[in-house]
Amino acid sequence: MASHSRALVTGASAGIGRSYAEHLARTGCALVLVARRRDRLDELASQLRDAHGVEVEVLPADLADPAGVATVAERLAAEPAIDLLINNAGYAARGMVAELDPAALADMIQVNVVALAQLSHAAMEAMRALGRGRIVNVSSGTVFAAFAGNAGYGASKNFVMAFTRTMQVEAEGTGVEVQLLIPGVIATDFHAVAGNDLARFPAERVMQADDLVVASLRALEMGEPVCIPSLPDVSTWDAYVEAEAACWANASRDKPASRYHGA
C-alpha cells in the first residue's frame, strides 16, 4: 500500500471516501476529513483515532457552497502539508435534458466540476512548491457511454477526466503525481441518492468500495496514471488514447474531408 504522511479526503463520511480514510489510517497516515455533516465526521474520526492511533482533523465543508470550497482550499495551502488529496466528493443529479431541474444541475456542476477544479488547483500549487505530492481525481465509468438521463452527470465526469489528464501533462517533472480514477458501479449509497436501485445491476458489475480503494492505492504504487480497477488489460486504455490521437491529428486541416465534397 502506498505510504503517505497526511491525506485530505473529500466526501469522507461515507462510501468511497470513507473507505479511503479507513485504508489510509491503517497505514499510519494522518487525515483531514472533509464532508458536510460534522456529526458523521466526528464519529469516523473517533473510530480511526481509537483503532489506528492516527491524527485526524475534521473539516466540515459544503462543496456546493463556494465558501466551503475556499475553506478546503485554504487547508490545502496550510501546514501541516497535505501530500495526498483524494478529490472524491461528487453526486449525480440525473434526468433528461428537457426535464432537468436547472438548480439541481447547477449545484451538481459546482461540486463535481468547480469544486474539484479549484481544489486540484490549490493542491497542485502547494505540492509543486514542495516538489512532491499526489492527487487522485475520481471520475466515472459513464464517461465511456452516452445514455438518456445522464447528460449532466456524464458531462461533469468527462470534465474530470479531461481536466485530470491535462494536469498529468503539466505535472511532469514537478514531483507531483496525478491519478485519474474511473470507477464503475460501486456498492455505496451514491445510487440511492441519485434515485437508482443498486439491486438492478447484475452482481458481477458491482464492486465493493474497499476493492476500488485498494486498486487505486496499488495503482499509485505502480505509477499507473489512469486506474480503471476492473479493466482486465491496460492496453484497452492505450488503444482508446491512440484513437483520440488519430482524431486529434485530423481535427484541424485546411480543407474538409473528401466525403463532404458533395456530388
Side-chain angles (χ1 to χ4, degrees):
M1 202 71 68
S3 177
H4 304 93
S5 61
R6 191 173 305 269
L8 186 149
V9 183
T10 69
S13 64
I16 294 171
R18 185 185 182 103
S19 183
Y20 267 111
E22 290 170 345
H23 279 271
L24 289 165
R26 289 189 198 109
T27 71
C29 180
L31 294 165
V32 180
L33 305 180
V34 176
R36 289 178 299 167
R37 292 182 53 176
R38 175 179 283 277
D39 58 338
R40 290 188 177 183
L41 291 177
D42 284 340
E43 179 185 4
L44 176 59
S46 178
Q47 291 174 1
L48 296 177
R49 292 184 191 112
D50 291 346
H52 306 293
V54 294
E55 180 184 344
V56 185
E57 298 176 52
V58 165
L59 186 59
D62 183 354
L63 299 185
D65 182 349
V69 179
T71 296
V72 182
E74 287 169 5
R75 178 60 190 87
L76 286 164
E79 295 290 339
I82 303 297
D83 69 351
L84 173 63
L85 166 64
I86 307 294
N87 237 338
N88 162 72
Y91 68 97
R94 290 198 169 101
M96 305 285 279
V97 171
E99 301 163 4
L100 278 169
D101 177 346
L105 177 63
D107 286 347
M108 180 185 67
I109 290 172
Q110 167 63 31
V111 175
N112 293 9
V113 173
V114 178
L116 179 136
Q118 292 180 345
L119 298 184
S120 293
H121 156 72
M124 181 70 86
E125 185 176 42
M127 291 175 181
R128 192 171 59 181
L130 292 173
R132 61 178 173 81
R134 285 167 162 169
I135 300 168
V136 175
N137 284 345
V138 182
S139 182
S140 163
T142 64
V143 298
F144 301 123
F147 55 91
N150 195 53
Y153 178 71
S156 75
K157 291 303 186 176
N158 267 284
F159 174 90
V160 174
M161 181 165 73
F163 190 83
T164 304
R165 290 175 67 191
T166 300
M167 284 177 64
Q168 291 171 342
V169 174
E170 295 176 355
E172 291 177 4
T174 67
V176 181
E177 299 174 47
V178 182
Q179 181 188 101
L180 170 63
L181 177 61
I182 305 180
V185 181
I186 308 299
T188 70
D189 62 1
F190 169 92
H191 303 280
V193 173
N196 294 331
D197 182 359
L198 190 62
R200 74 184 181 86
F201 295 100
E204 64 271 16
R205 289 193 56 207
V206 181
M207 184 177 290
Q208 298 301 309
D210 283 350
D211 290 333
L212 171 76
V213 168
V214 167
S216 169
L217 295 176
R218 177 64 179 140
L220 284 175
E221 284 186 331
M222 296 167 64
E224 281 191 9
V226 179
C227 178
I228 308 174
S230 53
L231 186 69
D233 191 337
V234 293
S235 67
T236 304
W237 171 260
D238 295 337
Y240 180 87
V241 174
E242 288 172 7
E244 280 187 325
C247 291
W248 169 239
N250 290 286
S252 182
R253 300 288 185 185
D254 60 340
K255 295 187 184 336
S258 60
R259 69 182 179 280
Y260 297 123
H261 300 169

